[in-house]
Amino acid sequence: MNGSKIHLQNLKQIFLEAVKAVRPSNLLSVKNNYNFQPTQIGEHLCIKVDGKLWNIENKRCHVVGFGKAVLGMAVHLEKTLYQHLVSGILSIPKGAREQCQSQADMQLSSDTVFRVYEGAEHNQPDETALQAALEIKHLATSLGQDDILFVLISGGGSALLPMPRRPLDLKKKMSLILELSNRGASIQELNIVRIALSDIKGGRLALAASRAHAVISLIISDIVGDSTELIASGPTWSKAISKHPKPKEILRRYSLWDSLGKDLRKMLTETPVFISQEMENNHIHIIGDNRVATVAAKIEAIIFNYTPCVISTSVQGNLDIVVEQYCDILKGLYQFNANIITEAEFKKIFPYGKDHFRKLLITLKVSGARGKPLLLIAGAEPTVKVKGRGLGGRNQELSLRLSKIFFEDPQLKNIFFLSAGTDGIDGPTDAAGALGCHHVIQDFLDQNNNDLEKLQTYLEENDSYNFYKNLNNGEYQIITGHTGTNVMDLHFLLLSDFGF
């Protein structure tokens, strides 16, 4: 195997180890201050949640969950709470259980109390997810002081917990959100609009369970900055928020407001996005996020003899901006290393803050001293404006765009790139993401009389999935299936010739 293929294989392995670190069974472990195995402590029967002891004696425990990562969380609670768990409802992606058949930590017991709904194929709400949402809210409203409700939440939860507010129906809500997404709205903007259109999001699930002894939310974050109120559209967030734009502002920004019906515009204007009712029984815990994955990636990178540096855990914005930023950083690194630009000049190029820049400078000294390839690691949640009719996702498109640049710019020919979703899903495809390097384009041009004009057509049609699928039998595509977790995307930029 030549050096290029070894680097690409290494990047894949680093990605898989990072995903493994944020699997629910690892996040809900004793080492992370969670222990759901009931333990007698004095006169009380206790479990530990984020270091805090909860007395569950004479309490009925119920679990509801929605998202791409909640199946593994539910399995963990089922095994540990055992007879104290009396009911459960899950809304998970279609096909998730089948894809996880070989994974022991993703299997509910044969006599499970959970009712499992599999819906929202390709992250689009459907009638199955709606039925799950109705049952979850019904359960929440039925609880009293002898009940504890555990709410498992992860990315993908918005699509798996749809409950449109009248007069809106599910089809019309889906159409509006899809159009907003296609016009380049961020996940934060999408979720603010989703909340405004929902009868269960924005704290309304917590409000429905307000008579329970406790509502304990366990969240795996897929949102930049871990904005709890926006993860799965904040169904248990019960505080007013003023820092976010109003739904009307967002819809105007993407030229959609004027096309809405009068009743819908009235609802979006008059109804608060979040409820603003403090509830003493409501407790929220983020158990895992992108930072956990990037740390795991650093550790694995060292094993492969790379010098790693996390340059950001909050890369966002349109892909055009992300591509420009990454290319500026790469060229700036080479110029700084060659003493062509000063530290101050390089700092102006670097877009991710002074703390990350300081860490990068320290890493550069280590990399230069050791003569090892430099691996830049980022956690990301970018967006893409869909203009074409092809099939793809932001990760595959980003890898393809950068591959073209690496091919055209001799200075960047030794860069290897990975972009993949930690959930194993990139857009409406079965791929998690893809690899990028100049070899991707060279291999394409060497086959079937392909040329750069045909490559440009793939890009213009947003058809990155078919590009990668048809190239070398999918050699550069990353296929994992549902991973059982979701903490945004991971980007790896390997400078294989840096420090030599």
Side-chain angles (χ1 to χ4, degrees):
M1 186 181 293
N2 64 39
S4 298
K5 291 191 183 299
I6 290 173
H7 286 313
L8 293 173
Q9 285 298 117
N10 290 348
L11 293 184
K12 277 187 183 180
Q13 187 59 38
I14 293 168
F15 171 72
L16 293 175
E17 286 300 313
V19 170
K20 183 179 177 181
V22 288
R23 286 177 66 86
S25 56
N26 289 324
L27 295 175
L28 289 173
S29 62
V30 173
K31 68 178 182 180
N32 289 329
N33 256 337
Y34 291 91
N35 187 358
F36 292 93
Q37 185 75 49
T39 304
Q40 198 72 40
I41 300 179
E43 298 179 354
H44 302 303
L45 188 65
C46 297
I47 61 173
K48 183 184 286 188
V49 180
D50 200 12
K52 179 182 177 180
L53 294 176
W54 283 88
N55 181 15
I56 66 166
E57 193 160 16
N58 299 320
K59 295 290 187 288
R60 297 183 294 265
C61 295
H62 311 263
V63 175
V64 298
F66 32 90
K68 298 172 183 177
V70 302
L71 178 57
M73 298 163 74
V75 169
H76 186 82
L77 290 186
E78 180 186 60
K79 288 178 178 177
T80 49
L81 289 173
Y82 195 47
Q83 73 267 24
H84 300 280
L85 178 62
V86 298
S87 75
I89 304 170
L90 297 180
S91 181
I92 61 176
K94 186 176 180 178
R97 281 188 295 180
E98 182 180 353
Q99 290 203 24
C100 296
Q101 280 182 344
S102 62
Q103 302 171 40
D105 61 348
M106 301 289 281
Q107 304 302 312
L108 292 166
S109 65
S110 58
D111 59 346
T112 184
V113 299
F114 279 98
R115 297 197 302 278
V116 182
Y117 294 85
E118 294 192 41
E121 189 172 15
H122 300 316
N123 211 31
Q124 297 301 314
D126 57 18
E127 292 297 328
T128 301
L130 175 60
Q131 183 61 38
L134 291 169
E135 292 201 21
I136 285 171
K137 191 169 184 180
H138 177 74
L139 172 61
T141 58
S142 72
L143 304 180
Q145 276 301 303
D146 292 330
D147 299 290
I148 295 176
L149 179 64
F150 293 93
V151 184
L152 313 179
I153 303 173
S154 74
S158 288
L160 288 158
L161 195 75
M163 193 179 291
R165 188 177 302 163
R166 294 178 182 176
L168 199 64
D169 61 25
L170 185 59
K171 186 176 180 180
K172 290 179 180 177
K173 181 181 177 182
M174 284 176 59
S175 177
L176 177 58
I177 295 299
L178 182 60
E179 183 61 30
L180 193 58
S181 176
N182 285 343
R183 295 192 183 198
S186 69
I187 185 66
Q188 291 90 338
E189 292 171 324
L190 290 172
N191 282 359
I192 289 168
V193 176
R194 282 169 170 151
I195 292 166
L197 300 173
S198 175
D199 261 341
I200 196 169
K201 298 179 172 77
R204 291 167 180 84
L205 177 57
L207 183 62
S210 59
R211 292 181 299 171
H213 176 72
V215 179
I216 301 173
S217 297
L218 304 173
I219 302 174
I220 297 178
S221 171
D222 72 327
I223 292 284
V224 170
D226 294 342
S227 297
T228 312
E229 71 277 9
L230 295 181
I231 302 168
S233 302
T236 58
W237 181 267
S238 58
K239 299 177 184 177
I241 296 287
S242 59
K243 66 180 180 179
H244 299 300
K246 302 292 185 185
K248 181 177 180 179
E249 295 174 39
I250 295 169
L251 290 163
R252 279 196 182 281
R253 184 178 302 157
Y254 295 98
S255 304
L256 286 169
W257 178 258
D258 292 338
S259 65
L260 302 181
K262 182 179 178 181
D263 289 344
L264 186 52
R265 289 202 302 266
K266 182 179 179 182
M267 182 181 77
L268 288 168
T269 303
E270 296 180 357
T271 307
V273 178
F274 297 92
I275 65 168
S276 55
Q277 182 174 333
E278 292 283 353
M279 287 175 279
E280 292 185 0
N281 73 334
N282 195 30
H283 308 270
I284 297 176
H285 305 274
I286 294 181
I287 67 169
D289 59 18
N290 196 267
R291 289 170 293 186
V292 178
T294 56
V295 168
K298 277 187 67 175
I299 294 170
E300 189 70 10
I302 292 170
I303 294 173
F304 285 112
N305 212 28
Y306 299 147
T307 301
C309 180
V310 178
I311 58 171
S312 177
T313 55
S314 57
V315 174
Q316 54 187 324
N318 189 269
L319 280 192
D320 295 337
I321 296 172
V322 176
V323 167
E324 184 178 348
Q325 288 176 339
Y326 282 171
C327 289
D328 286 346
I329 291 171
L330 292 170
K331 291 177 181 179
L333 275 166
Y334 283 117
Q335 291 170 351
F336 178 64
N337 195 50
N339 296 316
I340 296 172
I341 61 174
T342 65
E343 180 180 316
E345 290 171 323
F346 184 32
K347 188 175 182 180
K348 289 180 181 179
I349 295 171
F350 189 81
Y352 302 130
K354 61 181 181 181
D355 288 341
H356 283 297
F357 182 73
R358 178 178 52 81
K359 291 176 182 177
L360 177 57
L361 290 181
I362 295 170
T363 304
L364 292 180
K365 293 179 182 178
V366 174
S367 179
R370 295 179 179 173
K372 296 179 180 180
L374 176 66
L375 179 64
L376 305 182
I377 299 168
E381 190 80 5
T383 59
V384 58
K385 289 184 179 180
V386 179
K387 299 177 182 178
R389 295 172 294 178
L391 185 63
R394 64 191 180 212
N395 289 291
Q396 293 164 95
E397 178 148 336
L398 178 57
S399 291
L400 182 53
R401 287 197 200 184
L402 285 175
S403 293
K404 183 173 183 286
I405 293 171
F406 298 161
F407 177 79
E408 294 171 338
D409 190 336
Q411 187 180 16
L412 304 179
K413 69 176 182 178
N414 291 312
I415 305 295
F416 297 88
F417 180 69
L418 176 146
S419 180
T422 54
D423 57 356
I425 303 167
D426 185 31
T429 78
D430 61 358
L435 297 158
C437 61
H438 83 277
H439 298 290
V440 169
I441 307 303
Q442 189 61 62
D443 286 358
F444 173 76
L445 296 175
D446 289 342
Q447 297 176 9
N448 304 322
N449 297 315
N450 289 328
D451 54 27
L452 291 176
E453 185 176 339
K454 189 173 181 180
L455 170 64
Q456 190 59 33
T457 300
Y458 275 108
L459 288 168
E460 290 174 356
E461 287 295 319
N462 301 110
D463 201 22
S464 55
Y465 174 81
N466 286 315
F467 173 91
Y468 275 107
K469 182 180 180 180
N470 296 327
L471 180 63
N472 294 0
N473 296 314
E475 177 186 357
Y476 297 107
Q477 207 165 38
I478 299 171
I479 307 286
T480 63
H482 287 284
T483 62
T485 191
N486 185 19
V487 292
M488 308 195 316
D489 301 337
L490 288 174
H491 296 167
F492 302 152
L493 287 152
L494 178 66
L495 291 74
S496 65
D497 60 343
F498 201 82
F500 290 94

